[in-house]
Amino acid sequence: GERVNMRKTTIMLSLMIGTAVASPGYAQMAGVTGRAEIRAGYDEMGGTVTVNEFEAETFGAGDLGLGVEAGVDAAIATGLTLGAYVGADTSFADHCEDDPFFPGGEVCLEPGRNLYTGVRAGFMTGDNGLIYLKGGYSNAKLRASYNDDLGEEIFSDSDTAGGWHLGAGFELGLMGNVYLKGEYVYSKYNDFFEDTLDETSSVDLNRHQILGGIGIRFGGATPPPPPLPPAPPPPP
């Protein structure tokens, strides 16, 4: 009768709540969790080349960027996370600028590998979402060359330089421990070829990256098992 239906409803609600608690999601993140991901997207490079106090700007050199990243996150308060990460990426955004200083000349910039590390702070949204800010140190490799108006090579070399990056993004948890993400990162590097060029010459670089990725999260505290249904009433 009515009493039996109430008990069936109670059992069903208990099982539903237990399943929700046991399912993976950012709202259930506890302790420290690790993550690893692959990333790809649009990578735009811009450089400021100064030679003997003459400046040349390169704009809008964008192409494919690929990378990997790994990190850890800790739940520090209700809905808040703090983490650290390391990563590596590469860009195909090679670019040459015609007539940079004199008619007929050409400056070419070719980015190489980029290594970075930093920290990020996140805010959980719902059961499966995370919005975050990130920032840290970057180290990039760059090849640069300059040919004059006669086509003669005046300068050609590669170098590494340090800099910094800032970014923001979101993650969306899927089934299991898999998540999707989107991210924007701005990076700034200064003083490439500092040991090669004189004091009146320099090569600086900045990057804009719009990336998407897929990753997997692991570790952390195990969610509690679903509660047991109440015992049936004794027979009359």
Side-chain angles (χ1 to χ4, degrees):
E2 182 178 355
R3 191 174 180 180
V4 174
N5 290 334
M6 289 182 62
R7 289 195 174 276
K8 288 183 177 179
T9 302
T10 302
I11 294 173
M12 290 296 296
L13 288 174
S14 299
L15 293 175
M16 291 173 65
I17 294 173
T19 303
V21 172
S23 63
Y26 287 91
Q28 285 81 41
M29 185 187 296
V32 177
T33 62
R35 60 183 179 86
E37 65 189 42
I38 56 175
R39 305 137 60 82
Y42 178 73
D43 195 330
E44 181 178 295
M45 178 189 70
T48 302
V49 180
T50 305
V51 177
N52 297 330
E53 300 181 353
F54 291 95
E55 292 190 359
E57 300 280 349
T58 59
F59 298 103
D63 209 317
L64 176 66
L66 300 173
V68 294
E69 184 176 297
V72 293
D73 292 297
I76 58 174
T78 303
L80 297 178
T81 67
L82 184 64
Y85 57 87
V86 295
D89 58 43
T90 187
S91 173
F92 296 90
D94 305 347
H95 182 63
C96 292
E97 186 82 2
D98 294 328
D99 307 324
F101 308 113
F102 305 101
E106 181 184 59
V107 166
C108 292
L109 300 178
E110 180 182 347
R113 64 102 181 112
N114 177 57
L115 306 177
Y116 61 90
T117 184
V119 295
R120 73 176 197 173
F123 176 73
M124 302 177 204
T125 59
D127 289 340
N128 299 307
L130 179 72
I131 299 173
Y132 62 87
L133 299 174
K134 64 186 294 187
Y137 173 79
S138 298
N139 184 279
K141 186 174 183 179
L142 177 70
R143 171 167 287 279
S145 63
Y146 173 63
N147 295 338
D148 64 12
D149 55 344
L150 299 178
E152 295 183 1
E153 186 178 89
I154 303 301
F155 176 83
S156 179
D157 198 3
S158 62
D159 192 20
T160 59
W164 52 269
H165 66 270
L166 292 174
F170 69 90
E171 294 178 3
L172 180 64
L174 302 178
M175 296 298 293
N177 295 322
V178 177
Y179 64 87
L180 294 178
K181 74 177 306 177
E183 184 177 276
Y184 166 77
V185 181
Y186 173 78
S187 303
K188 179 68 174 178
Y189 313 89
N190 295 321
D191 300 325
F192 281 97
F193 311 104
E194 186 176 22
D195 298 332
T196 306
L197 302 175
D198 58 35
E199 295 180 355
T200 64
S201 303
S202 64
V203 178
D204 300 328
L205 183 70
N206 61 76
R207 295 171 71 183
H208 299 272
Q209 296 169 287
I210 302 176
L211 306 169
I214 184 170
I216 185 169
R217 187 171 292 278
F218 48 88
T222 303
L228 297 175

